[in-house]
Structure formats: C-alpha cells, structure tokens
C-alpha cells in the first residue's frame, strides 16, 4: 500500500525557517517525481514545488521561489521542503504528492499544518 | 503561468442528477509530445484530494464510470452522470503541461 507521511510542521514566527519531511512507503520512491502542494485554510490548492525522480529537474511556484528548497533522499525514501523567510501567507496545510507516469498526482499524504504567526 | 478558470464555483445537485464542470485554460495544454496533461481531482471534506481523471479523459483505477472527462486545447469538462452522495466535495482541475503546474479555483458540489 502506498503511503506518504508528512511531518515537521508547526507554529513559527515570520521570517523564521522550517523543514518539512515526507516519508514514502509501498512503492519504489526513486522511480517517481514528487511534489509539495499546499492549501491555506478555507482556500483552494496551490502547487508549491516539484522534484524529478533523480533530482535533475526542480520547479517552484513564483510565490516561493528563492525562499523554499525541495530536495529528496532516495536512500531514505524521504522528500523534504526547506522553507525560509516564512510569511503569514505561507500558512497552510502542506501535502506531499506522488507524480505518476502521466504527470498526475496519484497519491497524497494527509498533510502537515504550518502556521506562520507572531 | 497558465491560469485555469473553473465554472461554476458552486454547483447544487440532487441525487441522480447529471452535472458538468468546466475548466478553461489561458493557453493550450497540448504538450509537444502529443499528451494533454489535464487532470481532475476531488477533495472530500477533511480529506486530501484524490485523482479522478488524467490525460483529459482517462479514468483512474477504482473511480466509478459515472465520471467522465472530455475536451482539448483550452476547454475541458468533467461530467458526473448521476450524482451520488459520496460525490460531494470540491472538484479541481490541474494542469501539468507547462511548469509551474497550476490548479483551477475549484467547484464545490453540494446537495440541493
């Protein structure tokens, strides 16, 4: 069974940093691209970042470019999102999602909440 | 960036009714490799989204065949032929043809 489990969220002050993790199981992690997608409270979905299976291709949304870094450790089956210079508008539930062969998001974690507030 | 405009934002339906949701893109989603990376997701209350349809019209495994997708280029439609109670939630279209990937604003399906 495919499972994605996020962790690392919490309450953080504006301007500070936080690192999210997503541990994958039930599939060969190194074969799939992965994404971070977020959802602000009561709002829609916003794609944040993508990393290809071998980390060769990395894309970011403009709203986080230069502040967030996506990475992965295929030996540990883990996806990361390093978030710096956090702003109140980064407050959201952050999901990791697997990217299937045809670029669809076929499996999602339950999400981890990040709250940026003083 | 590609902008996806979903309409309507809210849809009220009775059980058994057929409904359609539109997703219009600001540019063609046809990739140079011939694929159109337009997908549909459903997010039930309190749950992560789930994949319904990919590549415009291909039904994800396990998804009931009352769901269907159609369209090409910039105009796409999700149809539910006979709404059931478990179909309630927010529907999103999402494109992954052009980076950055982008989502539509969502369509909330509720019971009339």
């Amino acid at each position: 069974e495919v499972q994605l489990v996020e962790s690392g969220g919490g309450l953080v002050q504006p301007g500070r940093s936080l690192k999210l993790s997503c541990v994958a199981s039930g599939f060969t992690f190194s074969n799939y691209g992965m994404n971070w997608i977020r959802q602000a409270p009561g709002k829609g979905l916003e794609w944040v970042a993508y990393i290809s299976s071998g980390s060769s291709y990395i894309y970011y949304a403009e709203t986080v470019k230069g502040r967030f870094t996506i990475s992965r450790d295929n030996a540990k089956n883990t996806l990361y999102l390093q978030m710096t210079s956090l702003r109140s508008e980064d407050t959201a539930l952050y999901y990791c999602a697997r990217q299937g062969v045809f670029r669809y998001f076929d499996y999602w974690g339950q999400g981890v909440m990040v709250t940026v507030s003083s | 960036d590609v902008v996806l405009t979903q309409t309507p934002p809210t849809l009220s339906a009775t059980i058994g009714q057929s409904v359609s949701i539109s997703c219009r893109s600001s540019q063609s989603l046809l990739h140079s490799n011939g694929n159109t990376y337009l997908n549909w997701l459903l997010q039930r209350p309190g749950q992560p989204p789930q994949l319904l349809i990919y590549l415009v019209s291909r039904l994800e495994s396990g998804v009931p065949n009352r769901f269907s997708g159609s369209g090409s280029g910039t105009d796409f439609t999700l149809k539910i032929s006979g709404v059931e109670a478990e179909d309630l939630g927010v529907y999103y279209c999402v494109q992954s043809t052009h980076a950055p990937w982008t989502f539509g604003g969502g369509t909330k399906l509720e019971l009339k």
Side-chain angles (χ1 to χ4, degrees):
Chain A
E1 177 192 8
V2 171
Q3 284 197 314
L4 298 169
V5 180
E6 303 96 336
S7 62
L11 174 63
V12 61
Q13 294 178 328
R16 304 297 289 262
S17 299
L18 203 61
K19 187 172 186 177
L20 305 182
S21 299
C22 169
V23 176
S25 61
F27 66 101
T28 305
F29 181 70
S30 59
N31 287 349
Y32 289 86
M34 296 294 295
N35 296 268
W36 287 101
I37 295 161
R38 69 185 180 182
Q39 188 168 35
K43 302 297 185 181
L45 299 168
E46 180 188 15
W47 174 80
V48 173
Y50 163 82
I51 185 167
S52 62
S53 57
S55 304
S56 298
Y57 299 96
I58 289 175
Y59 306 128
Y60 296 100
E62 283 297 323
T63 51
V64 306
K65 195 176 292 185
R67 300 188 299 122
F68 289 12
T69 302
I70 189 172
S71 63
R72 63 191 296 160
D73 185 336
N74 286 343
K76 295 183 178 180
N77 290 345
T78 303
L79 175 72
Y80 302 101
L81 185 68
Q82 176 69 57
M83 304 184 292
T84 64
S85 303
L86 283 161
R87 307 166 179 167
S88 58
E89 54 264 37
D90 296 318
T91 293
L93 186 63
Y94 284 74
Y95 295 103
C96 66
R98 190 179 84 167
Q99 185 146 320
V101 171
F102 292 112
R103 302 190 184 185
Y104 44 70
F105 309 129
D106 57 354
Y107 287 95
W108 297 64
Q110 288 297 312
V112 60
M113 189 67 201
V114 172
T115 303
V116 184
S117 174
S118 54
Chain B
D1 296 0
V2 173
V3 176
L4 297 181
T5 303
Q6 280 185 242
T7 54
T10 305
L11 198 49
S12 294
T14 56
I15 300 300
Q17 182 180 352
S18 292
V19 298
S20 293
I21 299 170
S22 170
C23 177
R24 184 160 293 175
S25 174
S26 60
Q27 58 184 277
S28 175
L29 299 183
L30 178 62
H31 193 278
S32 58
N33 65 11
N35 288 327
T36 299
Y37 298 105
L38 188 284
N39 311 313
W40 290 95
L41 309 171
L42 165 61
Q43 186 175 31
R44 297 186 175 96
Q47 295 296 315
Q50 68 168 102
L51 178 67
L52 297 176
I53 286 172
Y54 63 98
L55 290 175
V56 179
S57 60
R58 298 193 188 184
L59 205 62
E60 170 69 344
S61 176
V63 174
N65 60 12
R66 63 179 177 274
F67 292 93
S68 62
S70 62
S72 63
T74 61
D75 290 321
F76 304 92
T77 301
L78 174 71
K79 183 176 181 180
I80 310 173
S81 300
V83 168
E84 298 193 6
E86 65 182 20
D87 301 337
L88 304 183
V90 182
Y91 290 81
Y92 295 94
C93 56
V94 52
Q95 69 83 23
S96 45
T97 295
H98 305 287
W101 316 150
T102 48
F103 288 87
T107 295
K108 185 176 184 180
L109 177 61
E110 53 189 26
L111 275 181
K112 188 180 294 183

